[in-house]
């Protein structure tokens, strides 16, 4: 497999075959070092580029970690992949998954994250264009956890765990169409009764919840494994059926995966002034995602101390906030918006058919009731999104003495929701957040199958695998929210101007 990848890299880069470009020894070393098709491709591509960038017999430019840190501090976006150094400064704004996901890896070893998020062709065709050198020999360190992560990824490929069961997704699509048609029929053409309108609203809520699960899969290119195909599918589901931007979700969600539960960087836990999962948010932290200070203002001083009582109420209104974020994203000018016009058209079509449906309801009160029921019942989706992280540690990356690996971060910050197989449809794969965070491109229907391997992986390295039942997950999350609420209340009682939370 690595030999094939090496040959492809030579062809893709336009380099002429040479004795030193790809050797059995270098192939074997790459296989041991990374253990996956994508990883082998990275090593092969870098080997080929070595001949393009250096004169025969002259080694590539050597970089120390300190030299890389200095250039990153000066504003460059430089990452390390399999001991090779890449400068992505000029290209980062064009990253299909959003620039911030890349920027958060600047100066760091991105090998594991690259393997987790990208298919083989990225290593073969894209990365080689940005190589500027390699790490000095004494800076090349691969932790046992990273090495085992790469071996496990390779093993899952060999087992066929990354292969998609298209019949599964065909059934999902049929379900969505049935829900959409039922929603329209009972609101527009069915009996003009309150029961019919209620049933239609419940169909809408169920459609939006279930379609979000598949849209989530497309955002990770976890269905066809082709970014363009999955993005098109995602726009059809998220934008047309749900009125939400798949591009906004990808930009937001990729940052969440790269720097999970960091109060300053992870937008999935930045919900001031209504919710805070750490008392440090009382410090007016700056959000690097929203580019603004998350002020601990008058509203926060009222809402945070009672957040364990208002949690579900706030989640029930969560979908309205997603509409705002989606439209703000597609009209943004400070960053690239891939498929901007496709997304705008999709969301516009949603509002055309949804407003048409509402216009067929008999009174304004029916319309208000329909909107509230159809949107607030999606509270279960927002619960599923929050339960896996709100109760987990929130250590900042800058607080770590030793940089943790991608898999370590996923295990530290993520909680599985343990449920029987017959409830998988309800949770839509979100119950396997640990597995998903470690292998985000894994098709949803295979997450349960790989769970034993992830548990064994964690146990082998003395890492805790977090899992609770659905009820216990809710209790755990509410417990953390209550703890933070009490801490914030104590801060307010003392004098927030004189207290700094560490």
């Amino acid at each position: 497999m690595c030999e094939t990848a090496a040959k492809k890299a030579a062809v893709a880069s336009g380099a002429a075959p040479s004795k030193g470009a790809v050797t059995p020894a270098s192939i074997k070393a790459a296989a041991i070092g990374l253990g996956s098709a994508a990883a082998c491709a990275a090593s092969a591509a870098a080997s080929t580029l070595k001949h393009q960038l250096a004169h025969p017999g002259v080694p590539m430019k050597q970089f120390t970690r300190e030299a890389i840190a200095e250039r990153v501090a000066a504003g460059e976006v430089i990452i390390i992949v399999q001991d090779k150094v890449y400068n992505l400064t000029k290209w980062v704004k064009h990253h299909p998954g959003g620039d911030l996901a890349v920027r958060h890896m600047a100066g760091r070893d991105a090998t594991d994250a690259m393997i987790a998020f990208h298919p083989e062709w990225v290593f073969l065709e894209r990365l080689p264009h940005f190589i500027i050198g390699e790490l000095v020999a004494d800076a090349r360190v691969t932790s046992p956890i990273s090495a085992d992560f790469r071996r496990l990824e390779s093993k899952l490929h060999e087992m066929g765990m990354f292969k998609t069961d298209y019949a599964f997704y065909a059934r999902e699509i049929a379900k969505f169409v049935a829900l959409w048609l039922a929603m329209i029929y009972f609101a527009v053409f069915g009996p003009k009764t309150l029961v019919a309108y209620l049933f239609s609203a419940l169909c809408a809520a169920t459609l939006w919840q279930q379609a979000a699960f598949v849209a989530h899969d497309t955002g990770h290119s976890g269905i066809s494994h082709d970014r363009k195909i999955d993005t098109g599918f995602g726009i059809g589901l998220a934008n047309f059926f749900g009125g939400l931007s798949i591009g906004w979700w990808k930009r937001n969600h990729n940052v969440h995966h790269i720097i999970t539960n960091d109060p300053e960087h992870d937008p999935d836990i930045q919900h001031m002034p209504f919710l805070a999962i750490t008392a440090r948010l009382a410090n007016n932290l700056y959000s690097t995602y929203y580019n603004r200070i998350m002020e601990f203002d008058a509203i926060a001083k009222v809402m945070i101390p009672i957040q364990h009582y208002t949690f579900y109420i706030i989640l029930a209104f969560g979908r309205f906030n997603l509409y705002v974020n989606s439209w703000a994203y597609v009209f943004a000018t400070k960053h690239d918006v891939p498929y901007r016009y496709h997304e705008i058209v999709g969301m516009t079509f949603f509002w055309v058919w949804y407003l048409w449906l509402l216009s067929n309801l008999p009174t304004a009160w029916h319309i208000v009731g329909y909107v509230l029921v159809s949107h607030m019942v999606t509270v279960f989706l927002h619960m599923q999104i929050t339960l896996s992280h709100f109760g987990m540690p929130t250590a900042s990356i800058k607080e770590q003495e030793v940089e943790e690996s991608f898999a370590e971060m996923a295990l530290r910050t993520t909680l599985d929701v343990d449920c029987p197989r017959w409830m998988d449809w309800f949770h839509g794969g979100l119950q396997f957040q640990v597995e998903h965070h470690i292998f985000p491109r894994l098709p949803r229907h295979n997450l349960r199958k790989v769970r034993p391997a992830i548990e064994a992986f964690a146990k082998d390295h003395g890492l805790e695998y977090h899992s609770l039942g659905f009820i216990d997950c809710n209790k755990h999350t509410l417990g953390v929210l209550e703890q933070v609420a009490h801490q914030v209340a104590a801060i307010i009682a003392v004098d927030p101007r004189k207290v700094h939370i560490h």
Side-chain angles (χ1 to χ4, degrees):
M1 186 190 317
C2 290
E3 188 169 3
T4 300
K7 291 177 180 176
K8 286 182 180 178
V11 173
S13 63
S18 65
K19 280 188 177 182
V22 181
T23 67
S26 67
I27 293 171
K28 183 177 180 181
I32 293 173
L34 290 179
S36 72
C40 293
S43 181
S47 297
T48 302
L49 263 291
K50 187 171 183 175
H51 285 265
Q52 289 183 307
L53 298 177
H55 297 292
V58 179
M60 296 182 73
K61 183 175 182 179
Q62 304 287 296
F63 286 86
T64 63
R65 296 272 185 171
E66 292 75 18
I68 293 173
E70 287 179 7
R71 293 182 63 166
V72 170
E76 294 186 76
V77 181
I78 297 175
I79 65 171
I80 303 163
V81 179
Q82 185 58 3
D83 300 327
K84 301 299 185 288
V85 182
Y86 299 86
N87 191 333
L88 305 179
T89 308
K90 294 181 179 180
W91 173 83
V92 66
K93 65 181 180 180
H94 302 298
H95 182 235
D99 62 311
L100 287 178
V102 181
R103 293 183 186 280
H104 283 305
M105 296 304 302
R108 301 166 59 193
D109 190 324
T111 306
D112 292 354
M114 286 290 298
I115 293 172
F117 283 97
H118 298 88
E120 182 177 351
W121 74 266
V122 173
F123 293 87
L124 290 172
E125 302 173 21
R126 188 57 60 85
L127 263 185
H129 297 288
F130 305 103
I131 192 168
I132 59 173
E134 59 188 358
L135 285 177
V136 296
D138 61 0
R140 302 175 188 178
V141 179
T142 300
S143 72
I145 296 175
S146 285
D148 272 1
F149 162 77
R150 298 167 194 177
R151 281 190 283 267
L152 178 57
E153 194 264 355
S154 180
K155 181 180 178 181
L156 294 181
H157 271 286
E158 293 171 3
M159 293 170 61
M161 290 294 101
F162 285 86
K163 293 181 179 178
T164 300
D165 178 2
Y166 288 102
F168 171 84
Y169 286 102
R171 292 192 295 271
E172 292 296 294
I173 294 171
K175 178 172 66 179
F176 302 155
V177 172
L179 285 167
W180 188 53
L181 293 176
M183 171 188 176
I184 293 174
Y185 173 78
F186 284 98
V188 180
F189 305 106
K192 308 300 181 182
T193 65
L194 190 60
V195 172
Y197 297 141
L198 177 61
F199 184 75
S200 174
L202 292 176
C203 284
T206 305
L207 168 64
W208 293 335
Q209 181 213 30
Q210 294 291 308
F213 299 147
V214 179
H216 174 255
D217 298 341
T218 68
H220 285 291
S221 298
I223 299 179
S224 71
H225 302 295
D226 181 292
R227 176 174 57 84
K228 292 182 179 179
I229 293 174
D230 280 359
T231 297
F233 188 18
I235 290 174
L237 286 174
N239 299 59
F240 178 82
F241 273 123
L244 306 178
S245 165
I246 191 68
W248 163 78
W249 176 87
K250 287 176 68 173
R251 189 172 194 269
N252 177 293
H253 196 66
N254 287 336
V255 173
H256 163 68
H257 269 267
I258 289 295
I259 198 156
T260 311
N261 270 27
D262 187 308
E264 296 177 75
H265 306 301
D266 183 359
D268 274 17
I269 63 168
Q270 295 176 345
H271 302 291
M272 293 290 282
F274 301 106
L275 295 170
I277 67 170
T278 170
R280 279 177 292 170
L281 287 165
N283 286 332
N284 294 321
L285 295 184
Y286 184 83
S287 167
T288 58
Y289 182 84
Y290 293 108
N291 292 318
R292 60 175 173 80
I293 293 175
M294 297 177 285
E295 293 188 17
F296 186 62
D297 56 17
I299 298 175
K301 292 175 183 177
V302 173
M303 297 302 297
I304 302 303
I306 60 170
Q307 63 180 0
H308 47 302
Y309 298 117
T310 60
F311 177 58
Y312 297 114
I313 298 173
I314 292 169
L315 294 187
F317 288 92
R319 190 170 187 86
F320 297 104
N321 183 55
L322 301 186
Y323 293 138
V324 175
N325 286 333
S326 293
W327 284 107
Y329 168 81
V330 296
F331 286 113
T333 57
K334 293 183 178 180
H335 55 77
D336 272 15
V337 180
Y339 307 101
R340 184 194 302 268
Y341 297 108
H342 298 79
E343 294 223 55
I344 291 173
V345 169
M347 291 193 293
T348 300
F349 269 120
F350 166 80
W351 285 106
V352 167
W353 71 256
Y354 186 60
L355 291 175
W356 166 78
L357 181 150
L358 294 177
S359 70
N360 282 274
L361 299 178
T363 69
W365 287 111
H366 283 81
I367 293 173
V368 171
Y370 190 97
V371 169
L372 289 177
V373 171
S374 61
H375 283 71
M376 295 179 72
V377 174
T378 62
V379 65
F380 294 107
L381 172 63
H382 299 284
M383 286 170 58
Q384 290 158 330
I385 293 171
T386 56
L387 291 180
S388 293
H389 298 291
F390 271 31
M392 303 306 290
T394 57
S396 171
I397 186 172
K398 62 187 178 185
E399 297 172 348
Q400 300 169 10
E401 295 181 4
V402 179
E403 183 178 323
E404 65 182 352
S405 69
F406 180 76
E408 284 179 282
M409 178 190 66
L411 285 161
R412 174 178 62 84
T413 60
T414 310
L415 171 69
D416 265 11
V417 180
D418 195 14
C419 71
R421 185 182 296 272
W422 60 269
M423 280 295 289
D424 283 355
W425 72 271
F426 176 73
H427 291 288
L430 297 185
Q431 74 273 38
F432 299 116
Q433 280 289 290
V434 175
E435 292 75 15
H436 170 65
H437 266 251
I438 295 178
F439 297 112
R441 291 189 302 117
L442 201 71
R444 187 217 310 177
H445 51 76
N446 288 332
L447 291 173
R448 182 178 286 276
K449 297 176 184 176
V450 306
R451 184 176 183 178
I454 304 298
E455 289 181 298
F457 170 82
K459 183 177 180 181
D460 288 344
H461 292 282
L463 302 172
E464 188 171 356
Y465 179 95
H466 303 278
S467 179
L468 293 171
F470 182 68
I471 301 299
D472 287 335
C473 277
N474 279 270
K475 291 179 179 178
H476 176 66
T477 300
L478 288 174
V480 170
L481 291 174
E482 183 176 8
Q483 182 181 22
V484 173
H486 292 329
Q487 291 172 350
V488 170
I491 294 170
I492 295 172
V494 176
D495 185 345
R497 294 170 297 180
K498 299 179 181 179
V499 179
H500 186 81
I501 304 299
H502 297 281

